[in-house]
Amino acid sequence: MASPLSAAVNLKPVLPGHVLVSPKRVVARFAELSPEEVSDLWLLAQRVGVALEPHFGASSLTLAIQDGPEAGQTVPHVHVHVLPRKAGDFENNDEVYDAIDAASKDAAASHSSGEKLDLDKERKVRTPQEMAAEAAELRTLRDLRCPGFVGEGSRIAGEYHDADFEWEEVEEEGRAAVARQLREWAEWQAGGQAGLVGGPSTSSTRRSRRNRRSREGTDTPSLSRASSDSTTDTTTTTSSSSSDSNGSLEDCSEAPGGGEREGASWERFHATHSQARFFKEKRYLMLEFPALGKEDPPQHIAEIGCGCGSALLPVLKANSTCRVTGCDVSPTALGLLRRAAEQAGIDIQRIHTFVLDASLPGEAMTSSSSSSGSNGGSDLGIPDGRSSPGGSPLAGLEADSLLLVFTLSALRPEEHPAALAHAYAALRAGGLLLFRDYGLYDMAQLRFPGSQMLGENLYRRSEGTLAYFFSTQALRELALAAGFEEVECQYARVQLQNRKNGTAMRRVFLHGVFRRPAAEPAAAA
């Protein structure tokens, strides 16, 4: 999980814009910080400095740590001084360090030894109103808001696209791509590495060699049907709209859920991208699924495989009365979601999260709960670290809507029924399952080399996670088998333009809305 940090304006600033960056965990010496805390501390100091320098008309920065009493540290809580610098602000440049020492001693005057650095205790130099005003001003700076962060800097989409072309237009190219992948896979199997029999391109060969090591020992399902049954479904929609915000290429790598064998890959993935800058908010969801915007009565919206919050955060921003429940196989991802919510100013009491492996059936399920609120999740009826024999730990959530957004594609096909069973259990009678994922013959599918093919429409990415591409027929059969009623099930076809080279990119996603019946079917006698 990312380290909790704070950036605070100084009680007695050495120069205008003097800010202190510190870990919230009380640590006396720099050496006591964990590697993650060191990284996060300096990343935040960098971000703060980038924002402060132009805001205060500076041309340079001083970043300083006083590590230990002999170095001038007066309060035993590690912190970094960030000072915007201008030409001539000190006659002798090294005088800045004497000034930092003097300011530190002033700030420590009313603190006893061993006490946490608490900037609220010393108010003699600047009033609380002055400090609050400066802090509020600095919080508005663009670089401090970090618009690349999943919870910052984006508005709800103004338009939604789902019919930029007909699905049949990509079907022929898709069939040809799958046939090419099958040939490459056969060559890879027969030759020991792709390219020895002459089929794949140079780039595919390099990818194949790189991925062969990760696939050794993998039982590869039969590929003989990879272009048969599921390709016969040509369901399309003729509705039109006009935004490119619902098909960004970031979706090519996102599927925040994970299966029993895939969970470790997703945990590593989110830990690697621990600044949460990899994903963009799915701003189009409020237009794709109008039920998410209902405010009266207040809605309970759940998500399986919520990741770092790229779906739930825009919902929380747009619907001020809703509360959300999110679960994911990655604890790091859930920490990123909470951090993003705090940074966006969202009331954390509206958010409940817990770790859950949705690929496991109910009888094998263990749920560990870590609530953002004070009730530890018990108010939602979710077991805390207990198995749930014969049923789903999500039963009793009584959610009005449940999102499955780029989650099911991260599981193996044999694990899909378990995830849908959990979705069914989490919904109230009449509640809606809102589904979006990769569609058959999406551009991302066509780009895979054959060596990354694991089965029918199933691939393994280079970082180890899975990608499955759904036909409308496959999703419809899964949902109906789980007990849902179909409301909508169609391909969403989005054409994007590569701004750099002008190339058209055809994305195919699968959009679905399914309802848990208002009246449960009678049990068989």
Side-chain angles (χ1 to χ4, degrees):
M1 184 184 299
S3 312
L5 301 166
S6 66
V9 297
N10 210 341
L11 288 166
K12 186 178 181 180
V14 170
L15 292 168
H18 184 179
V19 167
L20 302 181
V21 177
S22 64
K24 290 185 177 179
R25 185 170 75 91
V26 182
V27 176
R29 298 295 305 277
F30 184 75
E32 297 174 39
L33 295 172
S34 69
E36 293 78 13
E37 288 173 321
V38 170
S39 174
D40 291 344
L41 180 68
W42 283 109
L43 285 170
L44 181 57
Q46 179 191 53
R47 205 171 98 207
V48 168
V50 167
L52 294 179
E53 185 175 318
H55 182 72
F56 287 95
S59 56
S60 300
L61 292 169
T62 290
L63 293 93
I65 289 182
Q66 297 158 298
D67 189 27
E70 286 70 35
Q73 183 183 25
T74 55
V75 177
H77 187 176
V78 172
H79 53 282
V80 179
H81 295 265
V82 183
L83 294 88
R85 299 294 305 277
K86 300 178 182 179
D89 51 17
F90 284 95
E91 184 176 349
N92 180 345
N93 189 59
D94 286 348
E95 291 175 0
V96 67
Y97 302 108
D98 295 331
I100 291 173
D101 285 345
S104 298
K105 290 174 183 177
D106 288 342
S110 62
H111 292 269
S112 60
S113 177
E115 195 169 5
K116 177 182 177 180
L117 177 63
D118 187 349
L119 297 181
D120 291 330
K121 288 193 173 183
E122 177 63 24
R123 301 288 190 179
K124 296 177 181 178
V125 177
R126 294 205 293 177
T127 67
Q129 292 77 16
E130 290 171 330
M131 296 178 69
E134 183 180 30
E137 178 186 4
L138 296 181
R139 278 196 294 268
T140 66
L141 300 184
R142 179 174 178 85
D143 288 306
L144 281 180
R145 285 172 56 92
C146 188
F149 190 79
V150 69
E152 288 287 327
S154 56
R155 296 188 299 271
I156 300 303
E159 299 172 325
Y160 171 69
H161 278 215
D162 67 352
D164 291 345
F165 55 90
E166 296 300 321
W167 182 81
E168 290 85 353
E169 295 177 34
V170 298
E171 183 179 11
E172 182 178 354
E173 181 184 2
R175 288 178 180 271
V178 169
R180 182 261 304 164
Q181 291 166 348
L182 285 169
R183 290 193 302 272
E184 291 179 3
W185 183 86
E187 293 166 357
W188 178 81
Q189 287 287 87
Q193 58 183 353
L196 292 185
V197 192
S201 66
T202 301
S203 61
S204 294
T205 300
R206 287 196 299 266
R207 286 194 296 268
S208 298
R209 288 172 177 168
R210 184 171 65 245
N211 286 285
R212 180 174 179 81
R213 291 190 298 272
S214 67
R215 293 200 26 178
E216 289 178 354
T218 300
D219 292 330
T220 305
S222 170
L223 300 175
S224 59
R225 298 193 304 114
S227 59
S228 58
D229 296 349
S230 64
T231 66
T232 61
D233 184 16
T234 58
T235 303
T236 60
T237 177
T238 57
S239 62
S240 63
S241 50
S242 53
S243 166
D244 62 1
S245 62
N246 58 305
S248 66
L249 283 177
E250 283 81 12
D251 284 340
C252 284
S253 298
E254 180 171 18
E260 180 180 16
R261 285 162 290 182
E262 315 309 324
S265 295
W266 283 109
E267 173 61 15
R268 286 193 299 271
F269 180 88
H270 285 292
T272 299
H273 299 280
S274 62
Q275 296 303 308
R277 293 191 177 95
F278 188 83
F279 301 130
K280 305 294 185 187
E281 286 188 0
K282 294 176 172 57
R283 303 176 297 126
Y284 54 86
L285 291 178
M286 302 302 294
L287 297 178
E288 182 176 8
F289 302 116
L292 296 173
K294 185 177 180 180
E295 295 188 348
D296 187 19
Q299 298 292 290
H300 178 198
I301 297 167
E303 183 176 12
I304 294 176
C306 63
C308 55
S310 58
L312 287 182
L313 286 168
V315 173
L316 285 161
K317 292 178 181 180
N319 187 335
S320 61
T321 67
C322 75
R323 62 186 176 94
V324 304
T325 297
C327 59
D328 196 274
V329 74
S330 167
T332 294
L334 298 178
L336 294 173
L337 187 160
R338 290 190 291 271
R339 189 181 75 178
E342 289 176 344
Q343 183 165 328
I346 296 170
D347 182 1
I348 205 69
Q349 296 300 319
R350 297 171 61 197
I351 303 171
H352 179 89
T353 61
F354 57 97
V355 176
L356 181 137
D357 184 348
S359 71
L360 297 175
E363 58 270 18
M365 178 67 69
T366 296
S367 168
S368 61
S369 177
S370 61
S371 175
S372 298
S374 59
N375 294 326
S378 59
D379 58 322
L380 297 178
I382 298 173
D384 188 0
R386 297 192 298 271
S387 61
S388 181
S392 170
L394 301 187
L397 275 183
E398 293 292 306
D400 298 290
S401 300
L402 183 137
L403 289 161
L404 271 179
V405 179
F406 298 101
T407 294
L408 219 57
S409 59
L411 307 180
R412 293 177 178 271
E414 60 267 26
E415 297 167 336
H416 293 167
L420 284 169
H422 292 307
Y424 187 94
L427 288 164
R428 63 168 173 80
L432 296 177
L433 168 64
L434 309 177
F435 181 94
R436 185 179 179 90
D437 218 317
Y438 301 113
L440 187 64
Y441 301 147
D442 175 50
M443 181 185 73
Q445 180 181 11
L446 308 190
R447 289 182 171 182
F448 276 108
S451 63
Q452 291 177 245
M453 198 176 199
L454 298 182
E456 184 177 351
N457 303 322
L458 179 66
Y459 304 80
R460 187 174 294 281
R461 300 186 184 92
S462 57
E463 80 276 9
T465 59
L466 296 180
Y468 183 81
F469 296 83
F470 287 88
S471 70
T472 52
Q473 178 182 343
L475 177 62
R476 182 178 292 116
E477 291 176 353
L478 281 167
L480 296 180
F484 287 102
E485 299 171 343
E486 180 181 341
V487 180
E488 300 170 8
C489 184
Q490 59 200 31
Y491 293 114
R493 295 95 58 205
V494 183
Q495 181 158 312
L496 305 175
Q497 193 82 10
N498 186 308
R499 295 178 182 177
K500 187 174 182 179
N501 58 28
T503 303
M505 301 178 290
R506 290 188 164 185
R507 305 305 311 275
V508 179
F509 304 105
L510 193 51
H511 163 92
V513 178
F514 300 89
R515 180 183 293 110
R516 176 170 174 165
E520 298 296 322

